[in-house]
Amino acid sequence: MDYIPSIGLEVHVQLRTRSKLFCGCGTRYGAEPNSQVCPVCLGYPGTLPVVNREAVRLTVVTGLMVGSEISPYSKFDRKSYFYPDMPKNFQISQYDRPLCLGGAVAIDVEGASRPIPLKRIHLEEDTAKNTHFEGFSGVDFNRAGVPLMEIVSEPEMHSPEEAFAFLQALKEILLYAGVSDCNLEQGNVRCDVNCSVRPAGSKALGVKTEIKNRNTFREVLHALRHEIARQVGVLEAGGAVGQETLRWDVAAGVTVGMRSKEYAHDYRYFPEPDLLPVALPRAWVEDWRAALPEPPRARRARLAREYGLPEYDAGVLTADPRSADFFEAAARLSPNPKAVSNWIMTEMQRLLAERSLAPSDARITPRALADLVALVDGGTLGSTGAREVFAVLFAEGGDPARIVAERGMAQVSDAGEMGALADRVIAENEAAAADYRKGKQAALQRLVGQVMRLSGGRANPRVVAGLLRERLK
Amino acid sequence: MTSEEGRGADAAAIDVAYVARLARIDLTPEEQARFQRQLDEVVAYVRKIREPDTSGIEPTAHAVAVRNVFRDDAPRPGLDRGEVMANAPAVVQGLFRVPQIVE
Ligand SMILES: [Zn+2]
């Protein structure tokens, strides 16, 4: 029998603010444990939270990017639970009046585009970070109170690949909107996944299980593949899927029940009495809407159209808005946007990845890349030399023409000097010359290679080939 | 009013045994009975708030008619680490040491 999975995601995104959600403590990652804390985020009695305006703005901007309705009236609620990472014994979250309602994230799977509808987007505080030791645990409250935006999708993804595509599309939107750094290694994006399967033809959704707290999109993909197969196996064997909370064991590649969820939970939501409701002035929301960036999908289409790029290039360049910005800045200065794109997609991305750098860390300017493309197109630089110059520009910056001059890297196209070398090579390689005269094209390449070698790599191979052809007519 | 009447008449009464379980607090049967009695009295007192007729009044999430109180996103120094950790029952590598947390 065929089974249809239904997958919903709850994505927790750390917002890019300088201070926490309800107090002025810093949010810098990697600080000494318990060094960015105060009585508010440590949950001391008698302290009062005050909402960070920027966190509200970033949440609403996200909502606007995905077409949510921005609630005219929103409030915060207490979610009660007892766990060592939550010092107040409740988390301030939003229950029935989130900041954003509805909206959708479009995904592309197997060439077709489909909007995945969202339920809501709300704002809450993050919990502390636990470290586990043999027999005990340790708690660092630096992360407690950091603003966390939760994006909840409808359960309308039907394969692990769709869930993966959703996360990628969402990440692009978040990067474009500048609302989060989306640094997965630093846990900026964490994901709870719920999933059920039902026999094809059946309308009602099956019993769902929840997989908690995945940090990488690959983990979501693998956990879902495993969990769907597991549920189908249970149903095929005539069993019933139990509603439970699971965690994904990365090493073993299996989902296992979470022991902490065996305890009773009763969140007892109620309005947070220490915070006032939020009723955003319309003018604020309209100002934020007016300042929205071009969405990634629109930009992809525009790059392909405006610069005549293949879809593939446009997709690679727009995956990170900073790469797309760099491309556009350079392409506007160059008559050869495709060459600009090639440099960014290959050399630049390779060097950035090797050194774990962000596009803004490279020293090369858009002007320098455009000039480098011009030097290659004009025949001054060959491909090997151009890569060398690019590496210098990447690491040190500067002007490509000057680098070429200083290092004597310009290709020699001078017909006199090259002609002499061509004569010498023909004289020394009579067999190859004879082969070419008999019509063997490959023999010419051997001769070009010899001239290149004698010139120390500085000869322009196109010019050399022309000179040789002339002499071998 | 006795505590028994108070509980019977009010679905919002506090079930001490249940709340203690949620809060991971071990109570002796005597403590449970005592807290139940005391909390029932508190609830019975607070229930006075149900007496006024509120039909036709829009519910509110807050008693103060003020909205949109925000602060700027400006970080400022928190507490000194020595001061923070002075309150920890035990410390391990700069962390609050707690009983093993299960996942
Ligand atoms: Zn704080």
Side-chain angles (χ1 to χ4, degrees):
Chain A
M1 191 189 290
D2 270 352
Y3 290 87
I4 299 168
S6 293
I7 299 163
L9 296 172
E10 290 174 15
V11 187
H12 297 85
V13 179
Q14 188 179 321
L15 294 174
R16 195 160 80 183
T17 60
R18 301 198 299 142
S19 66
K20 291 187 179 179
L21 182 51
F22 299 122
C23 61
C25 291
T27 54
R28 195 166 59 82
Y29 180 82
E32 289 289 302
N34 296 303
S35 65
Q36 298 182 133
V37 293
C38 74
V40 173
C41 55
L42 285 172
Y44 278 77
T47 57
L48 283 175
V50 187
V51 179
N52 182 336
R53 185 190 295 106
E54 180 65 359
V56 172
R57 185 185 74 87
L58 295 175
T59 306
V60 170
V61 162
T62 305
L64 293 171
M65 285 292 279
V66 296
S68 301
E69 182 199 326
I70 308 306
S71 306
Y73 173 90
S74 179
K75 69 179 172 67
F76 290 92
D77 300 272
R78 289 187 181 181
K79 178 183 182 180
S80 302
Y81 69 93
F82 293 80
Y83 209 60
D85 61 12
M86 201 58 258
K88 298 190 293 289
N89 289 334
F90 61 83
Q91 177 187 29
I92 303 178
S93 180
Q94 298 196 284
Y95 182 54
D96 57 345
R97 295 283 191 156
L99 282 166
C100 312
L101 287 165
V105 172
I107 60 167
D108 296 303
V109 172
E110 287 163 10
S113 172
R114 199 158 70 79
I116 304 296
L118 302 179
K119 275 196 175 85
R120 55 185 280 161
I121 305 175
H122 71 253
L123 187 53
E124 62 186 28
E125 57 180 337
D126 206 346
T127 58
K129 183 168 173 280
N130 306 319
T131 306
H132 303 292
F133 299 92
E134 211 43 51
F136 57 93
S137 300
V139 186
D140 171 10
F141 287 95
N142 282 351
R143 209 182 64 190
V146 164
L148 212 54
M149 169 174 71
E150 181 170 334
I151 300 163
V152 185
S153 87
E154 296 286 355
E156 292 199 17
M157 286 155 273
H158 300 302
S159 70
E161 291 71 26
E162 287 192 0
F164 188 79
F166 175 89
L167 289 169
Q168 281 189 316
L170 181 63
K171 181 184 166 188
E172 274 182 17
I173 291 167
L174 298 172
L175 282 174
Y176 270 67
V179 301
S180 172
D181 294 326
C182 291
N183 189 323
L184 303 188
E185 289 73 36
Q186 295 180 5
N188 286 175
V189 182
R190 306 193 295 272
C191 199
D192 294 344
V193 185
N194 60 68
C195 157
S196 65
V197 301
R198 65 188 146 103
S202 143
K203 279 262 181 287
L205 292 182
V207 175
K208 71 177 179 187
T209 59
E210 189 179 18
I211 306 165
K212 287 301 240 190
N213 227 0
R214 292 327 328 149
N215 273 343
T216 73
F217 300 172
R218 291 254 147 233
E219 277 174 33
V220 170
L221 186 69
H222 293 148
L224 273 170
R225 282 179 183 159
H226 168 86
E227 179 58 16
I228 289 166
R230 187 191 71 87
Q231 290 188 12
V232 168
V234 168
L235 296 179
E236 295 270 80
V241 173
Q243 183 154 7
E244 57 181 331
T245 306
L246 307 166
R247 88 192 155 77
W248 172 244
D249 185 327
V250 177
V254 292
T255 46
V256 291
M258 282 179 83
R259 279 172 58 212
S260 59
K261 299 295 164 185
E262 291 164 12
Y263 297 110
H265 278 277
D266 184 348
Y267 293 133
R268 305 201 160 194
Y269 282 101
F270 69 94
E272 167 59 68
D274 289 342
L275 289 172
L276 293 155
V278 174
L280 293 171
R282 229 195 154 85
W284 290 15
V285 177
E286 289 317 311
D287 280 356
W288 297 340
R289 191 195 302 277
L292 289 181
E294 183 181 25
R297 291 171 66 85
R299 192 169 198 184
R300 188 167 311 150
R302 184 173 60 76
L303 287 198
R305 193 178 63 239
E306 249 171 53
Y307 299 96
L309 293 182
E311 295 262 320
Y312 174 81
D313 288 41
V316 173
L317 293 172
T318 52
D320 187 325
R322 294 166 301 187
S323 298
D325 289 347
F326 190 93
F327 166 78
E328 287 208 74
R332 270 186 226 114
L333 302 170
S334 172
N336 190 351
K338 173 61 183 152
V340 170
S341 159
N342 288 346
W343 280 108
I344 297 172
M345 292 201 307
T346 55
E347 285 302 288
M348 186 142 165
Q349 298 217 331
R350 184 176 63 79
L351 292 169
L352 289 173
E354 270 175 22
R355 293 164 175 71
S356 308
L357 294 175
S360 46
D361 296 329
R363 306 290 299 274
I364 184 170
T365 61
R367 168 91 260 167
L369 179 55
D371 289 349
L372 178 65
V373 167
L375 288 176
V376 175
D377 289 349
T380 305
L381 268 179
S383 57
T384 315
R387 269 202 299 280
E388 243 177 276
V389 173
F390 187 90
V392 175
L393 291 171
F394 182 89
E396 298 164 23
D399 168 27
R402 173 170 291 174
I403 292 167
V404 167
E406 280 171 4
R407 306 194 175 204
M409 291 166 81
Q411 288 187 133
V412 182
S413 303
D414 176 70
E417 192 182 334
M418 290 301 110
L421 287 178
D423 289 338
R424 185 176 146 195
V425 166
I426 291 169
E428 289 173 3
N429 297 272
E430 279 170 8
D435 283 350
Y436 176 73
R437 287 203 183 90
K438 277 183 251 160
K440 276 197 188 167
Q441 290 297 317
L444 186 71
Q445 280 317 306
R446 282 216 299 285
L447 296 171
V448 170
Q450 289 294 325
V451 176
M452 294 299 291
R453 195 175 54 78
L454 288 176
S455 77
R458 288 160 56 241
N460 180 332
R462 258 176 306 177
V463 173
V464 171
L467 291 172
L468 286 166
R469 254 188 240 109
E470 242 167 55
R471 283 165 171 71
L472 295 171
K473 257 185 213 152
Chain B
M1 190 195 306
T2 69
S3 65
E4 277 310 305
E5 281 169 9
R7 286 171 73 194
D10 193 340
I14 296 172
D15 180 341
V16 169
Y18 175 61
V19 173
R21 198 162 63 244
L22 288 173
R24 323 261 190 276
I25 301 171
D26 285 326
L27 296 180
T28 63
E30 293 74 34
E31 284 172 326
Q32 216 182 86
R34 186 163 81 249
F35 293 149
Q36 187 71 67
R37 210 160 45 241
Q38 292 175 344
L39 284 168
D40 285 344
E41 280 164 19
V42 172
V43 169
Y45 177 70
V46 173
R47 211 172 48 229
K48 266 187 183 308
I49 204 162
R50 292 199 167 172
E51 285 170 16
D53 179 12
T54 57
S55 55
I57 295 177
E58 211 183 309
T60 176
H62 209 281
V64 183
V66 177
R67 290 168 183 187
N68 300 331
V69 175
F70 299 116
R71 33 169 276 276
D72 290 335
D73 182 29
R76 51 179 169 70
L79 291 172
D80 174 71
R81 280 182 83 202
E83 213 178 334
V84 171
M85 300 318 286
N87 267 343
V91 179
V92 54
Q93 295 172 16
L95 308 168
F96 286 79
R97 185 183 158 146
V98 298
Q100 183 143 43
I101 298 170
V102 296
E103 280 188 274

